[in-house]
Amino acid sequence: MDRLKNTSQNRSFGGWHKQYTHASKVLGCDMRFAIYLPPQAATQSVPVFYWLSGLTCTDENFMQKAGAHRMAAELGIALVAPDTSPRGEGVANDDAYDLGQGAGFYLNATQAPWAKHYQMEDYILKELPDLIESAFPVTDKRAISGHSMGGHGALTLALKNPERFTSVSAFSPIVNPINVPWGEKAFTAYLGDNRETWKAYDSCELIAKAKVHLPMLIDQGEGDNFLAEQLKPESLVAAAKEAGYPLELRMQEGYDHSYYFIASFIDEHLKFHQPFLMAD
Ligand SMILES: N[C@@H](CCC(=O)N[C@@H](CSC=O)C(=O)NCC(=O)O)C(=O)O
């Protein structure tokens, strides 16, 4: 517990929203995350829904804008929202919004100057859950979800590590980063010029090889201004169909890329995950 420092707490729907900082060994910097503990956590261990946010976000975007606390309290699910990259003065950065701090892409960078701190895959997969499960009244049942860059993170982590998660969902995910501008820019910087190495972080590539099928739900707004150039969910649907991987993609008329979209459907995502999180 002494590794964790509580920096804020607010009562919410009978439970608690809290922010913490801790020294991350994996990332080599101080990190902040937020946790929502539902009322049930006062008397029993509850399962955890991990939320990975998109470009430019911190732990606060989801906790403040998604409106997820009410349903998490009703269902007895803890919410954990990490930051989207390593942070700090000594951490490499870029002036652009889609590279560097706030844009970690949930991968382990191999290239200088990024590799020293940008090890978000290991952080999200192991260091953070270990910390959460040792410090809070939670079980080791984990669902994962996210938005845009975070949807990419949720899908790739779950596809590569199905034993770690009960289920996966995403809002407007970047499903084929190796073939879209956001991904090409970030992967060139973090992983280098060899495009073969990029495939380890591409949902379309990973779903084709997946041996274990997790319950998977994706919501995508039809009015999303990033849909045609950056997101291309039809590529994942085609790869899933080819591989026989069951995937539900729901195209939602008129919705854009914002947290208004996420807030509109987050309850359905929590209800989607709940039976898998609660199963023995
Ligand atoms: N140019 C914009 C882009 C930032 C943006 O739209 N970020 C999204 C995620 S996009 C994919 O990962 C987001 O969630 N923003 C935070 C929010 O609270 O809406 C810009 O720099 O604003």
Side-chain angles (χ1 to χ4, degrees):
M1 235 358 193
D2 58 348
R3 287 177 298 159
L4 277 179
K5 186 169 168 221
N6 179 218
T7 58
S8 82
Q9 54 177 16
N10 301 91
R11 201 93 215 250
S12 181
F13 295 96
W16 287 94
H17 171 266
K18 301 185 179 194
Q19 286 174 300
Y20 289 87
T21 58
H22 71 110
S24 165
K25 271 197 192 136
V26 167
L27 301 177
C29 63
D30 287 347
M31 290 295 283
R32 190 176 75 195
F33 68 85
I35 185 166
Y36 174 71
L37 290 166
Q40 295 85 341
T43 53
Q44 67 191 68
S45 294
V46 296
V48 184
F49 172 92
Y50 285 87
W51 174 265
L52 305 185
S53 288
L55 295 165
T56 73
C57 292
T58 66
D59 61 293
E60 294 186 335
N61 300 71
F62 176 73
M63 289 298 190
Q64 295 179 1
K65 292 181 166 181
H69 293 182
R70 183 192 297 272
M71 187 52 68
E74 193 174 306
L75 299 177
I77 297 172
L79 310 172
V80 171
D83 206 341
T84 51
S85 74
R87 299 270 182 188
E89 278 187 13
V91 174
N93 202 2
D94 191 276
D95 287 340
Y97 77 94
D98 52 4
L99 190 67
Q101 295 187 32
F105 273 83
Y106 304 101
L107 51 71
N108 289 340
T110 56
Q111 304 298 302
W114 310 103
K116 184 173 177 197
H117 297 285
Y118 285 72
Q119 301 294 318
M120 287 297 285
E121 180 179 26
D122 287 350
Y123 176 69
I124 301 293
L125 199 60
K126 200 71 179 39
E127 188 180 35
L128 183 63
D130 283 355
L131 185 62
I132 296 292
E133 287 161 27
S134 67
F136 299 99
V138 298
T139 70
D140 61 359
K141 291 284 174 67
R142 313 171 198 99
I144 190 161
S145 185
H147 173 227
S148 196
M149 176 185 74
H152 143 76
L155 290 171
T156 53
L157 287 171
L159 285 165
K160 288 165 84 167
N161 307 278
E163 73 290 349
R164 300 278 298 167
F165 302 102
T166 60
S167 40
V168 56
S169 70
F171 290 80
S172 348
I174 306 168
V175 298
N176 194 201
I178 65 176
N179 286 316
V180 304
W182 272 338
E184 288 178 317
K185 177 178 176 178
F187 287 12
T188 302
Y190 298 143
L191 302 173
D193 291 331
N194 181 355
R195 296 176 81 104
E196 274 306 302
T197 66
W198 299 6
K199 291 181 178 174
Y201 296 106
D202 186 279
S203 293
C204 291
E205 295 287 333
L206 293 168
I207 211 164
K209 291 186 284 197
K211 300 259 187 309
V212 177
H213 297 169
L214 286 178
M216 183 181 285
L217 170 66
I218 297 177
D219 271 316
Q220 173 63 58
E222 286 181 349
D224 186 327
N225 55 331
F226 296 119
L227 178 55
E229 192 187 12
Q230 305 280 11
L231 306 177
K232 303 182 188 236
E234 65 281 359
S235 303
L236 188 65
V237 170
K241 195 168 172 202
E242 175 79 23
Y245 196 117
L247 147 66
E248 185 176 7
L249 169 69
R250 308 189 307 187
M251 296 302 293
Q252 305 288 4
E253 190 190 343
Y255 286 91
D256 62 21
H257 200 66
S258 73
Y259 266 85
Y260 292 107
F261 172 47
I262 295 166
S264 301
F265 295 99
I266 192 66
D267 284 2
E268 293 180 25
H269 280 238
L270 289 168
K271 285 184 193 164
F272 164 76
H273 288 286
Q274 194 245 5
F276 308 113
L277 284 169
M278 300 298 175
D280 287 330

